[in-house]
Amino acid sequence: MLGFLIAVAAGFVSPHLDEPVSAKIAGALKETIPIEASEYRVVSFMVALFAASILAALVDNDSPLAIVVGGVLGYFLMRIVEALKKVIEGKPKT
């Protein structure tokens, strides 16, 4: 369970890693593997899930499925919360 929570946190922070992490990785790999600016978010998500999987393996023995599901839920957490608020309040879809 702890690995799942670590992955949720990693998914949640992954959009914030675009400039500090993905831009540096793209700069280092630009000669070998060109990474476009539109792909930074994917690189950030991969780095965050990789770090979460290592940390989860060190502190907990969670399944890879829990890591992936936790990362995806964390990534879309704010959108899911907003959608649930609209459902609870009874507002129509926009």
Side-chain angles (χ1 to χ4, degrees), residues 12 73 76-94:
F12 186 75
L73 284 176
F76 293 108
L77 185 63
M78 296 309 295
R79 296 180 200 179
I80 293 170
V81 168
E82 289 300 318
L84 288 175
K85 282 182 184 178
K86 288 180 182 178
V87 168
I88 292 171
E89 293 172 359
K91 291 184 179 176
K93 297 178 188 175
T94 55

Side-chain angles (χ1 to χ4, degrees), residues 1-93:
M1 183 68 184
L2 185 57
F4 173 78
L5 296 175
I6 291 169
V8 169
F12 186 75
V13 301
S14 66
H16 305 288
L17 300 176
D18 289 349
E19 283 302 314
V21 176
S22 295
K24 291 180 182 174
I25 290 173
L29 295 175
K30 68 182 172 185
E31 297 296 321
T32 311
I33 304 170
I35 299 173
E36 297 177 18
S38 62
E39 298 170 324
Y40 284 7
R41 187 64 48 98
V42 175
V43 174
S44 297
F45 187 67
M46 289 188 307
V47 168
L49 276 189
F50 182 70
S53 65
I54 291 173
L55 188 57
L58 292 174
V59 299
D60 191 44
N61 199 6
D62 223 345
S63 73
L65 181 62
I67 302 299
V68 171
V69 171
V72 171
L73 284 176
Y75 186 82
F76 293 108
L77 185 63
M78 296 309 295
R79 296 180 200 179
I80 293 170
V81 168
E82 289 300 318
L84 288 175
K85 282 182 184 178
K86 288 180 182 178
V87 168
I88 292 171
E89 293 172 359
K91 291 184 179 176
K93 297 178 188 175

